[in-house]
Amino acid sequence: MFAYIIKRLIYAIPIALSVTVVSFVLVYLAPGDPLNAIAPADAPEEVIVALKSAYGLDKPVPVQYGLWLLRAVQGDLGTSIASGRAVTAEVLSAVSNTLLLAGMAALGGVLIGCILGALAGYRHGTWIDRVATVISVIGVSIPHYWLGLVLTIVFSIWLPWFPAMGAGPGGSSEWLWDVEHLRHLVLPALTLSVIPMGIITRTVRALVADMLEQEFVTALRARGLSGVAVFRHIAKNTAPTVLAVAGLQIGYLMGGSILVETVFAWPGTGFLLNTAIFQRDIPLLQGTILVLCMFFVVLNLLVDILQPLIDPRMGRG
Amino acid sequence: MTTPLVSLQDLSVQFCGSRKASALNAVNLELGAGEVLALLGESGSGKSVTLRTLLRLHPERTTKIQGRMQVDGQDVLALKGRALDLYRGGTVSMVFQEPGLAFDPVYTIGQQITESIRAHAAIDEAAARAQALQMLERVQIPQAKRRFDAYPHELSGGMRQRAMIALALACQPKLLLADEPTTALDATVQIQILLLLRELQRETGMSVIFVTHDIGAAVEVADRIAVMYAGRVVEQGPVGEIVRRPRHPYTAGLLAATVGTENRGQPLLAVPGSPPDLAALPPGCSFAPRCAQASERCRREVPPLQTLGQQALACWHPILPLAEAA
Ligand SMILES: Nc1ncnc2c1ncn2[C@@H]1O[C@H](COP(=O)(O)OP(=O)(O)OP(=O)(O)O)[C@@H](O)[C@H]1O
Ligand code: SF4
Ligand SMILES: [Mg+2]
């Protein structure tokens, strides 16, 4: 097992490196000049040159990348062009907000998805199955931002139950587990949970329906097990796959939250990314993309390591 | 025979889900305590369905069961809830054809036997584990202690089938059902498993119904043979009688295919022709389209099962008439 973990870790290194290259280069492929954001359009030539050298933009791209990577490894992602604050600090505070949002959305989505999916799988072919399938299809195909807007109109404007904007008092950096903050979390988390809910419902339904057809489930019944006892076996057999799918969903939520965060002005990475793009804030953009991608790499690594712990059949080689 | 352990009377099973079939058509069968019965017949004749019906394992919504089914004095078709759970595994249990598919892959062998024991007896975990380990030793699994904590995929096919037998016998059932328990195994292992089953049957005095395609195995292990065709028992009797003096043309065809040439261990060679479509059975004897003796009457009327002593036969023109065994 230990060797397996080490091997996985080593595999992750080249992936992580390519991620840094992509995060760095991608920004240069986009049209537009970052200097437009800081320098007035009619700035004299010397000012532009000075600015370029101040931000290191005058060096060749590979050199820029090397310097950037060297600093990134030490936790320094540069300074935001727009705000002048350290990118690392901005990104970390945004990441924690997004994690909170994505985590809650995933928790809710996976929980409801598991329940709906298990019901549908057990009642394969009945009206319960059809209702669950319709819900999951709607969940997967409904546009996020549209749902966010509808929820805002209904639960924020018509029925003033939940606030529509922000993360609560204290702004982006002072999250507290109190009613006031949680009320701000409800609508964005609900909006975001719909996709993992739909996907998990579909996954669990298919897995459970398939599992119930397996000979070993017949064999369990044949030895007098039923109800909860059989369900325990089904749950343990489906858990590795559900875990893998759920893990990836949390990852997608980190990315998928861009629009939802924008709709609800939730101060997370999506919101930050949005701001960075519109302000052509290159260091901030690179830093945010890098952290998001790294998050995916680590998530995949975790799923890879956890799966064989749950499922004894998966080789440890 | 006093009150038999198992008694099936006009047992019919119809599947009415997406695949329609009259899998059993008025099966009559009796089995005494301590008896070993071999079920013989071509693929699709309803052997597995018979065993699964005895444990009520068919999907409830899409299966219609008619007739009577008594096991150990219980009306099996009337069992519900906890009583059904106790009956399954407690009174009757099953050894499956593919031990690789019949174990839950993510629990250890020991956990699964222990769980089964605790589902039937009010004993604590430690005592159940001790019993489970004892069962593994009884089915002659070497290094039983180590195998106890192994996952099913870590055992060889033969070891897995031994473990399956241990699991099936863990709650001292009165009837063991074995559906081709050796088909999935290597030839040498097959014989060991058969001998083990025979030995355990003698030790415990349980009854056994086992399905096989191997007449040699049936002769070796069984007391009686029942031959099935298209969801009916067409002939049954003591092993020697069936093998030496088959009376039903189908039985004779089955035996001619194997016993005559003494190729033991071979699966039954097909009798010429193919079995009828179970969704649309012919009105008379379902073997008529393939039977050399078939008459008008055979095509019109289903031959009733006639019983004489130990023997039973359903044929209008048997090769030999039923007579008391010599
Ligand atoms: N759940 C089911 N739904 C519909 N048809 C079924 C079902 N189970 C079995 N059958 C049908 O019932 C018939 C009898 O099947 P069964 O499995 O009892 O045959 P068998 O005698 O055990 O054959 P084999 O020697 O191949 O194992 C087959 O035609 C099969 O297709
Ligand atoms: S009843 Fe007629 S058709 Fe059927 S097996 Fe006997 S002789 Fe053949
Ligand atoms: Mg079968």
Side-chain angles (χ1 to χ4, degrees):
Chain A
M1 193 61 219
F2 189 66
Y4 171 79
I5 294 177
I6 297 288
K7 210 161 139 192
R8 283 282 140 205
L9 281 172
I10 291 173
Y11 283 164
I13 291 173
I15 299 174
L17 269 180
S18 356
V19 162
T20 63
V21 174
V22 172
S23 323
F24 189 83
V25 173
L26 210 56
V27 175
Y28 283 91
L29 298 179
D33 190 330
L35 288 181
N36 290 347
I38 22 174
D42 55 352
E45 193 62 22
E46 318 85 78
V47 176
I48 304 263
V49 172
L51 277 173
K52 270 196 170 172
S53 94
Y55 283 101
L57 295 171
D58 54 345
K59 301 191 184 69
V61 173
V63 176
Q64 286 187 40
Y65 166 73
L67 291 172
W68 176 76
L69 183 62
L70 209 64
R71 276 185 278 122
V73 172
Q74 298 162 15
D76 175 10
L77 292 170
T79 311
S80 160
I81 295 181
S83 73
R85 302 219 315 255
V87 170
T88 313
E90 293 229 11
V91 174
L92 284 186
S93 124
V95 163
S96 76
N97 285 326
T98 293
L99 270 181
L100 179 72
L101 178 58
M104 285 316 257
L107 197 72
V110 169
L111 214 69
I112 297 173
C114 282
I115 295 172
L116 270 182
L119 277 176
Y122 258 94
R123 295 274 172 271
H124 191 69
T126 65
W127 65 268
I128 298 180
D129 183 14
R130 280 189 282 276
V131 169
T133 305
V134 168
I135 293 177
S136 86
V137 169
I138 292 177
V140 175
S141 43
I142 203 167
H144 264 142
Y145 54 89
W146 183 80
L147 179 64
L149 290 174
V150 170
L151 287 178
T152 307
I153 292 170
V154 176
F155 293 106
S156 211
I157 299 175
W158 293 354
L159 306 165
W161 293 353
F162 301 105
M165 303 276 278
S172 61
S173 50
E174 284 164 51
W175 176 262
L176 286 171
W177 289 99
D178 61 15
V179 175
E180 197 39 48
H181 283 86
L182 285 175
R183 279 187 51 213
H184 281 80
L185 188 55
V186 171
L187 288 186
L190 189 65
T191 308
L192 206 52
S193 72
V194 166
I195 284 191
M197 186 275 292
I199 290 181
I200 296 288
T201 301
R202 220 159 54 179
T203 312
V204 171
R205 169 186 178 273
L207 285 170
V208 168
D210 171 69
M211 210 55 77
L212 286 171
E213 301 275 303
Q214 300 283 315
E215 183 85 334
F216 83 80
V217 173
T218 308
L220 289 173
R221 299 233 164 87
R223 50 188 197 256
L225 302 177
S226 62
V228 180
V230 171
F231 183 73
R232 261 187 44 217
H233 284 264
I234 290 179
K236 192 165 177 192
N237 273 276
T238 46
T241 315
V242 175
L243 183 84
V245 175
L248 288 179
Q249 282 309 307
I250 299 179
Y252 291 138
L253 287 190
M254 297 287 294
S257 62
I258 295 180
L259 288 175
V260 173
E261 287 183 1
T262 309
V263 168
F264 290 98
W266 182 265
T269 47
F271 196 54
L272 193 64
L273 214 51
N274 210 26
T275 320
I277 290 169
F278 280 110
Q279 299 181 338
R280 299 219 45 81
D281 192 338
I282 289 192
L284 187 59
L285 202 52
Q286 288 169 329
T288 313
I289 294 176
L290 178 71
V291 171
L292 278 180
C293 293
M294 280 305 168
F295 183 81
F296 265 95
V297 174
V298 171
L299 200 71
N300 272 314
L301 189 68
L302 277 182
V303 169
D304 272 357
I305 290 175
L306 281 180
Q307 253 183 324
L309 284 181
I310 300 182
D311 190 339
R313 282 166 305 177
M314 298 198 43
R316 313 218 158 131
Chain B
M1 219 186 300
T2 51
T3 37
L5 180 72
V6 182
S7 155
L8 309 183
Q9 285 163 29
D10 293 325
L11 188 70
S12 295
V13 172
Q14 273 165 316
F15 296 111
C16 40
S18 49
R19 270 193 309 146
K20 299 202 179 1
S22 300
L24 295 189
N25 302 291
V27 163
N28 285 284
L29 203 61
E30 284 192 354
L31 187 71
E35 256 191 313
V36 179
L37 174 79
L39 278 186
L40 238 52
E42 282 173 324
S43 191
S45 55
K47 306 179 298 288
S48 300
V49 170
T50 306
L51 298 197
R52 280 166 192 253
T53 307
L54 273 162
L55 277 170
R56 298 243 318 257
L57 291 178
H58 301 301
E60 210 123 292
R61 279 186 294 137
T62 54
T63 313
K64 220 168 96 193
I65 305 181
Q66 287 167 306
R68 284 174 58 73
M69 181 160 67
Q70 286 238 329
V71 177
D72 194 29
Q74 303 180 74
D75 179 1
V76 180
L77 292 179
L79 290 177
K80 278 205 281 286
R82 181 91 183 116
L84 181 59
D85 287 348
L86 285 176
Y87 165 81
R88 290 169 168 167
T91 308
V92 179
S93 71
M94 180 122 145
V95 172
F96 288 80
Q97 176 170 350
E98 289 265 9
L101 299 178
F103 274 112
D104 182 336
V106 303
Y107 284 89
T108 64
I109 300 286
Q111 284 170 339
Q112 298 191 48
I113 302 179
T114 308
E115 181 186 28
S116 191
I117 292 174
R118 294 199 67 194
H120 290 88
I123 59 173
D124 66 18
E125 179 80 16
R129 283 174 67 90
Q131 269 187 32
L133 184 61
Q134 231 173 18
M135 279 316 300
L136 286 184
E137 280 159 2
R138 241 178 107 190
V139 297
Q140 297 154 24
I141 290 185
Q143 295 174 290
K145 266 210 182 62
R146 232 190 59 213
R147 259 59 183 260
F148 188 90
D149 292 318
Y151 287 97
H153 72 276
E154 294 170 337
L155 301 188
S156 68
M159 282 306 139
R160 236 179 285 165
Q161 194 58 299
R162 282 174 194 268
M164 186 87 235
I165 293 171
L167 178 59
L169 298 187
C171 304
Q172 293 103 34
K174 297 191 170 152
L175 172 63
L176 180 71
L177 308 174
D179 194 350
E180 305 191 40
T182 61
T183 316
L185 307 175
D186 295 340
T188 47
V189 183
Q190 289 192 357
I191 296 161
Q192 295 169 7
I193 296 288
L194 280 181
L195 292 178
L196 175 70
L197 274 176
R198 176 92 243 192
E199 194 181 317
L200 289 168
Q201 187 273 325
R202 292 218 174 107
E203 269 174 39
T204 58
M206 64 185 171
S207 305
V208 177
I209 302 181
F210 86 107
V211 170
T212 181
H213 281 237
D214 179 352
I215 293 182
V219 171
E220 201 128 308
V221 181
D223 304 314
R224 284 198 302 139
I225 290 180
V227 179
M228 293 192 70
Y229 186 78
R232 291 196 180 95
V233 171
V234 294
E235 179 169 13
Q236 60 158 307
V239 171
E241 198 63 23
I242 295 279
V243 171
R244 260 176 277 124
R245 281 185 288 276
R247 287 166 166 82
H248 195 282
Y250 177 62
T251 314
L254 276 185
L255 291 169
T258 45
V259 171
T261 49
E262 265 309 322
N263 43 354
R264 249 209 62 180
Q266 296 286 311
L268 298 180
L269 288 178
V271 177
S274 54
D277 178 6
L278 290 178
L281 284 175
C285 172
S286 36
F287 188 57
R290 301 164 73 183
C291 180
Q293 271 99 303
S295 67
E296 243 339 279
R297 184 180 202 189
C298 299
R299 276 182 272 274
R300 230 176 30 238
E301 287 173 66
V302 179
L305 189 74
Q306 292 174 308
T307 314
L308 184 67
Q310 288 267 308
Q311 287 177 262
L313 179 65
C315 178
W316 292 121
H317 316 292
I319 298 170
L320 288 168
L322 269 187
E324 288 291 353

Coordinates of all heavy atoms in Angstrom, one line a residue, chain A residues 184-243:
Chain A
H184 N -26.5 33.2 3.9 CA -25.9 33.6 2.6 C -25.5 32.4 1.8 O -25.4 32.5 0.6 CB -24.7 34.5 2.9 CG -25.1 36.0 3.2 ND1 -25.5 36.3 4.5 CD2 -25.1 37.1 2.4 CE1 -25.7 37.6 4.4 NE2 -25.5 38.1 3.2
L185 N -25.2 31.3 2.5 CA -24.7 30.2 1.7 C -25.8 29.4 1.0 O -25.5 28.7 0.0 CB -23.9 29.3 2.8 CG -23.2 28.1 2.3 CD1 -22.1 28.5 1.2 CD2 -22.5 27.4 3.4
V186 N -27.0 29.5 1.6 CA -28.1 28.6 1.1 C -28.3 28.6 -0.4 O -28.2 27.6 -1.1 CB -29.4 28.9 1.9 CG1 -30.5 28.1 1.2 CG2 -29.2 28.5 3.3
L187 N -28.6 29.8 -0.9 CA -29.0 29.9 -2.4 C -27.8 29.5 -3.3 O -28.1 28.6 -4.2 CB -29.5 31.3 -2.7 CG -30.9 31.6 -2.1 CD1 -31.4 32.9 -2.7 CD2 -31.9 30.5 -2.5
P188 N -26.6 30.0 -3.1 CA -25.6 29.6 -4.0 C -25.3 28.1 -3.9 O -25.1 27.4 -4.9 CB -24.3 30.4 -3.7 CG -24.7 31.1 -2.4 CD -26.2 31.1 -2.3
A189 N -25.3 27.5 -2.7 CA -25.0 26.1 -2.5 C -26.1 25.3 -3.2 O -25.8 24.3 -3.8 CB -24.8 25.8 -1.0
L190 N -27.3 25.7 -3.0 CA -28.4 24.9 -3.6 C -28.3 24.9 -5.1 O -28.4 23.9 -5.7 CB -29.7 25.6 -3.1 CG -31.0 24.8 -3.5 CD1 -31.0 23.5 -2.8 CD2 -32.2 25.6 -3.2
T191 N -28.0 26.1 -5.6 CA -27.9 26.2 -7.1 C -26.8 25.3 -7.6 O -26.9 24.6 -8.6 CB -27.5 27.7 -7.5 OG1 -28.4 28.5 -6.9 CG2 -27.5 27.8 -9.0
L192 N -25.7 25.3 -6.9 CA -24.5 24.5 -7.3 C -24.7 23.0 -7.1 O -24.1 22.2 -7.8 CB -23.3 25.1 -6.6 CG -21.9 24.9 -7.2 CD1 -21.9 25.5 -8.6 CD2 -20.9 25.6 -6.4
S193 N -25.5 22.7 -6.1 CA -25.6 21.2 -5.8 C -26.4 20.5 -6.8 O -26.4 19.2 -6.8 CB -26.3 21.1 -4.4 OG -27.7 21.4 -4.5
V194 N -27.1 21.2 -7.7 CA -28.1 20.5 -8.6 C -27.3 19.5 -9.6 O -27.8 18.4 -9.8 CB -28.9 21.5 -9.4 CG1 -29.6 20.9 -10.5 CG2 -29.9 22.2 -8.4
I195 N -26.2 20.0 -10.0 CA -25.5 19.1 -11.0 C -24.9 17.8 -10.3 O -25.2 16.7 -10.8 CB -24.3 19.9 -11.7 CG1 -25.0 20.7 -12.8 CG2 -23.4 18.9 -12.4 CD1 -24.1 21.4 -13.8
P196 N -24.1 18.0 -9.2 CA -23.7 16.7 -8.6 C -24.9 15.8 -8.2 O -24.8 14.6 -8.3 CB -22.9 17.1 -7.4 CG -23.2 18.6 -7.2 CD -23.6 19.1 -8.5
M197 N -26.0 16.5 -7.7 CA -27.2 15.7 -7.4 C -27.6 14.8 -8.6 O -27.8 13.6 -8.5 CB -28.3 16.7 -6.9 CG -29.5 16.0 -6.4 SD -30.7 15.6 -7.7 CE -31.2 17.2 -8.3
G198 N -27.7 15.5 -9.7 CA -28.2 14.8 -10.9 C -27.2 13.6 -11.3 O -27.7 12.5 -11.6
I199 N -25.9 14.0 -11.3 CA -25.0 13.0 -11.8 C -24.9 11.8 -10.8 O -24.8 10.6 -11.2 CB -23.6 13.6 -12.0 CG1 -23.7 14.5 -13.2 CG2 -22.5 12.6 -12.1 CD1 -22.5 15.2 -13.6
I200 N -24.9 12.1 -9.5 CA -24.8 11.1 -8.5 C -26.1 10.2 -8.5 O -26.0 9.0 -8.4 CB -24.6 11.6 -7.1 CG1 -23.2 12.3 -7.0 CG2 -24.7 10.5 -6.0 CD1 -22.0 11.4 -7.0
T201 N -27.2 10.8 -8.7 CA -28.4 10.1 -8.8 C -28.3 9.0 -9.9 O -28.6 7.8 -9.8 CB -29.7 11.0 -9.1 OG1 -29.8 11.9 -8.0 CG2 -30.9 10.2 -9.2
R202 N -27.9 9.5 -11.1 CA -27.8 8.7 -12.3 C -26.8 7.5 -12.0 O -27.0 6.4 -12.3 CB -27.3 9.5 -13.4 CG -27.9 9.1 -14.7 CD -27.8 10.3 -15.7 NE -26.5 10.7 -15.9 CZ -26.2 11.7 -16.8 NH1 -27.1 12.3 -17.5 NH2 -24.9 12.1 -16.9
T203 N -25.6 7.9 -11.4 CA -24.6 6.9 -11.2 C -25.1 5.8 -10.2 O -25.0 4.6 -10.4 CB -23.3 7.5 -10.6 OG1 -23.0 8.7 -11.3 CG2 -22.2 6.6 -10.5
V204 N -25.6 6.3 -9.1 CA -26.1 5.3 -8.0 C -27.2 4.5 -8.5 O -27.2 3.3 -8.3 CB -26.5 6.1 -6.7 CG1 -27.1 5.2 -5.7 CG2 -25.3 6.8 -6.1
R205 N -28.1 5.1 -9.3 CA -29.2 4.3 -9.8 C -28.7 3.1 -10.7 O -29.1 2.0 -10.5 CB -30.1 5.2 -10.6 CG -31.2 4.4 -11.4 CD -31.9 5.4 -12.3 NE -32.9 4.7 -13.2 CZ -32.6 4.1 -14.3 NH1 -31.4 4.2 -14.8 NH2 -33.5 3.5 -15.0
A206 N -27.8 3.5 -11.6 CA -27.3 2.4 -12.5 C -26.5 1.4 -11.7 O -26.7 0.2 -11.9 CB -26.4 3.1 -13.5
L207 N -25.7 1.8 -10.7 CA -24.9 0.9 -10.0 C -25.8 -0.1 -9.1 O -25.6 -1.3 -9.1 CB -24.0 1.6 -9.0 CG -22.8 2.3 -9.6 CD1 -22.1 3.2 -8.6 CD2 -21.8 1.2 -10.1
V208 N -26.8 0.5 -8.5 CA -27.7 -0.3 -7.6 C -28.5 -1.3 -8.4 O -28.6 -2.5 -8.1 CB -28.6 0.6 -6.7 CG1 -29.6 -0.2 -6.0 CG2 -27.7 1.3 -5.7
A209 N -29.1 -0.8 -9.5 CA -29.9 -1.7 -10.4 C -29.0 -2.8 -10.9 O -29.5 -4.0 -10.9 CB -30.5 -0.9 -11.5
D210 N -27.8 -2.5 -11.3 CA -26.9 -3.6 -11.8 C -26.5 -4.5 -10.7 O -26.5 -5.7 -10.8 CB -25.7 -2.9 -12.4 CG -24.6 -4.0 -12.7 OD1 -24.8 -4.7 -13.6 OD2 -23.6 -4.0 -12.0
M211 N -26.2 -4.0 -9.5 CA -25.8 -4.8 -8.3 C -26.9 -5.8 -8.0 O -26.7 -6.9 -7.6 CB -25.6 -3.8 -7.2 CG -24.5 -4.3 -6.2 SD -23.0 -4.7 -6.9 CE -22.3 -3.1 -7.2
L212 N -28.2 -5.3 -8.0 CA -29.3 -6.2 -7.6 C -29.5 -7.4 -8.5 O -30.1 -8.4 -8.1 CB -30.6 -5.4 -7.6 CG -30.7 -4.4 -6.4 CD1 -32.0 -3.5 -6.6 CD2 -30.8 -5.1 -5.1
E213 N -28.9 -7.3 -9.7 CA -29.0 -8.4 -10.7 C -27.9 -9.4 -10.4 O -27.8 -10.4 -11.0 CB -28.9 -7.9 -12.1 CG -30.0 -6.9 -12.5 CD -31.2 -7.6 -12.9 OE1 -31.1 -8.4 -13.9 OE2 -32.3 -7.4 -12.3
Q214 N -26.9 -9.0 -9.6 CA -25.7 -9.8 -9.5 C -26.0 -11.1 -8.7 O -26.9 -11.1 -7.8 CB -24.6 -9.1 -8.7 CG -24.1 -7.8 -9.3 CD -23.2 -8.1 -10.5 OE1 -22.3 -8.9 -10.4 NE2 -23.4 -7.4 -11.6
E215 N -25.3 -12.2 -9.1 CA -25.5 -13.4 -8.5 C -25.3 -13.4 -6.9 O -26.0 -14.0 -6.2 CB -24.6 -14.5 -9.1 CG -24.7 -15.9 -8.6 CD -25.8 -16.7 -9.3 OE1 -26.8 -16.0 -9.8 OE2 -25.8 -17.9 -9.3
F216 N -24.3 -12.6 -6.5 CA -24.0 -12.6 -5.1 C -25.1 -12.0 -4.3 O -25.3 -12.3 -3.1 CB -22.6 -11.9 -4.8 CG -22.6 -10.4 -4.7 CD1 -23.1 -9.8 -3.5 CD2 -22.2 -9.6 -5.7 CE1 -23.0 -8.4 -3.4 CE2 -22.2 -8.3 -5.6 CZ -22.6 -7.6 -4.5
V217 N -25.9 -11.1 -4.9 CA -27.1 -10.5 -4.1 C -28.1 -11.6 -4.0 O -28.7 -11.8 -2.9 CB -27.6 -9.3 -4.8 CG1 -28.9 -8.8 -4.1 CG2 -26.6 -8.2 -4.8
T218 N -28.3 -12.4 -5.0 CA -29.2 -13.5 -4.9 C -28.7 -14.5 -3.8 O -29.5 -15.0 -3.0 CB -29.3 -14.3 -6.3 OG1 -29.6 -13.4 -7.3 CG2 -30.3 -15.4 -6.2
A219 N -27.4 -14.7 -3.8 CA -26.8 -15.6 -2.8 C -27.0 -15.0 -1.4 O -27.2 -15.8 -0.5 CB -25.3 -15.8 -3.1
L220 N -27.0 -13.7 -1.3 CA -27.2 -13.1 0.1 C -28.6 -13.4 0.5 O -28.9 -13.8 1.7 CB -27.0 -11.6 0.0 CG -25.6 -11.1 -0.1 CD1 -25.6 -9.6 -0.3 CD2 -24.7 -11.4 1.1
R221 N -29.6 -13.2 -0.4 CA -31.0 -13.5 -0.1 C -31.1 -15.0 0.2 O -31.8 -15.4 1.2 CB -31.9 -13.2 -1.3 CG -31.8 -11.8 -1.7 CD -33.2 -11.2 -1.8 NE -33.2 -9.7 -1.8 CZ -33.0 -9.0 -2.9 NH1 -33.0 -9.6 -4.1 NH2 -33.0 -7.7 -2.9
A222 N -30.4 -15.8 -0.5 CA -30.5 -17.3 -0.4 C -30.1 -17.7 1.0 O -30.4 -18.8 1.5 CB -29.7 -18.0 -1.4
R223 N -29.2 -16.9 1.7 CA -28.8 -17.3 3.0 C -29.5 -16.5 4.1 O -29.1 -16.3 5.2 CB -27.3 -17.3 3.2 CG -26.6 -16.1 2.8 CD -25.1 -16.4 2.9 NE -24.2 -15.2 2.8 CZ -23.5 -14.9 1.8 NH1 -23.6 -15.5 0.7 NH2 -22.7 -13.8 1.9
G224 N -30.7 -15.9 3.7 CA -31.6 -15.3 4.7 C -31.3 -13.9 5.1 O -31.8 -13.4 6.1
L225 N -30.5 -13.2 4.3 CA -30.3 -11.8 4.6 C -31.3 -11.0 3.7 O -31.7 -11.4 2.6 CB -28.9 -11.4 4.2 CG -27.8 -12.2 4.9 CD1 -26.4 -11.7 4.4 CD2 -27.8 -12.0 6.4
S226 N -31.7 -9.9 4.3 CA -32.7 -9.1 3.6 C -32.6 -7.6 4.0 O -31.8 -7.3 4.9 CB -34.1 -9.6 3.8 OG -34.5 -9.5 5.1
G227 N -33.3 -6.8 3.5 CA -33.4 -5.4 3.9 C -32.1 -4.7 4.1 O -31.2 -4.7 3.2
V228 N -31.9 -4.2 5.3 CA -30.7 -3.5 5.7 C -29.4 -4.3 5.4 O -28.4 -3.8 5.0 CB -30.7 -3.0 7.1 CG1 -29.5 -2.2 7.5 CG2 -32.0 -2.1 7.4
A229 N -29.5 -5.6 5.8 CA -28.3 -6.4 5.7 C -27.8 -6.5 4.2 O -26.6 -6.4 3.9 CB -28.6 -7.8 6.2
V230 N -28.7 -6.6 3.3 CA -28.4 -6.7 1.9 C -27.9 -5.3 1.4 O -26.9 -5.2 0.7 CB -29.6 -7.2 1.0 CG1 -29.3 -7.0 -0.5 CG2 -29.9 -8.6 1.3
F231 N -28.6 -4.3 1.9 CA -28.2 -2.9 1.5 C -26.8 -2.6 1.9 O -26.0 -1.9 1.2 CB -29.2 -1.9 2.1 CG -28.8 -0.5 1.7 CD1 -29.1 -0.1 0.4 CD2 -28.2 0.4 2.5 CE1 -28.8 1.2 0.0 CE2 -27.9 1.7 2.1 CZ -28.2 2.1 0.8
R232 N -26.3 -3.1 3.1 CA -25.0 -2.9 3.5 C -24.0 -3.4 2.5 O -23.0 -2.8 2.2 CB -24.7 -3.6 4.8 CG -24.8 -2.7 6.0 CD -24.4 -3.4 7.3 NE -23.2 -4.2 7.1 CZ -23.0 -5.4 7.7 NH1 -23.9 -5.8 8.5 NH2 -21.9 -6.0 7.5
H233 N -24.3 -4.6 1.9 CA -23.4 -5.2 0.9 C -23.4 -4.3 -0.3 O -22.4 -4.1 -0.9 CB -23.8 -6.6 0.6 CG -23.5 -7.6 1.7 ND1 -22.4 -8.4 1.6 CD2 -24.1 -7.9 2.8 CE1 -22.3 -9.1 2.7 NE2 -23.3 -8.9 3.4
I234 N -24.6 -3.9 -0.7 CA -24.7 -3.1 -2.0 C -24.0 -1.8 -1.8 O -23.2 -1.4 -2.7 CB -26.2 -2.9 -2.3 CG1 -26.8 -4.2 -2.8 CG2 -26.3 -1.8 -3.4 CD1 -28.2 -4.1 -3.2
A235 N -24.1 -1.2 -0.6 CA -23.5 0.1 -0.3 C -22.0 0.0 -0.4 O -21.3 0.8 -1.1 CB -23.9 0.6 1.0
K236 N -21.4 -1.1 0.2 CA -20.0 -1.2 0.2 C -19.4 -1.5 -1.2 O -18.3 -1.1 -1.5 CB -19.5 -2.3 1.2 CG -18.0 -2.3 1.4 CD -17.6 -3.1 2.6 CE -16.1 -3.0 2.7 NZ -15.5 -4.0 3.6
N237 N -20.2 -2.2 -2.0 CA -19.8 -2.5 -3.4 C -19.8 -1.3 -4.3 O -19.1 -1.2 -5.2 CB -20.6 -3.6 -4.0 CG -20.1 -5.0 -3.6 OD1 -19.2 -5.5 -4.3 ND2 -20.6 -5.6 -2.6
T238 N -20.8 -0.4 -4.0 CA -20.9 0.7 -4.9 C -20.1 1.9 -4.4 O -19.8 2.8 -5.2 CB -22.4 1.2 -5.0 OG1 -22.9 1.2 -3.7 CG2 -23.2 0.3 -5.8
A239 N -19.7 1.9 -3.1 CA -19.0 3.1 -2.6 C -17.8 3.5 -3.4 O -17.6 4.7 -3.6 CB -18.6 2.8 -1.1
P240 N -16.9 2.6 -3.8 CA -15.7 3.1 -4.5 C -16.0 3.9 -5.7 O -15.5 5.0 -6.0 CB -15.0 1.8 -4.9 CG -15.4 0.8 -4.0 CD -16.9 1.2 -3.7
T241 N -17.0 3.5 -6.5 CA -17.3 4.2 -7.7 C -18.0 5.5 -7.4 O -17.7 6.6 -8.0 CB -18.3 3.4 -8.6 OG1 -17.8 2.0 -8.7 CG2 -18.4 3.9 -10.0
V242 N -18.9 5.5 -6.4 CA -19.6 6.7 -6.0 C -18.6 7.7 -5.5 O -18.7 8.9 -5.9 CB -20.7 6.4 -5.0 CG1 -21.3 7.7 -4.5 CG2 -21.8 5.5 -5.5
L243 N -17.7 7.2 -4.8 CA -16.6 8.1 -4.2 C -15.8 8.8 -5.3 O -15.6 10.0 -5.3 CB -15.7 7.3 -3.3 CG -14.6 8.1 -2.6 CD1 -15.2 8.7 -1.4 CD2 -13.4 7.3 -2.3

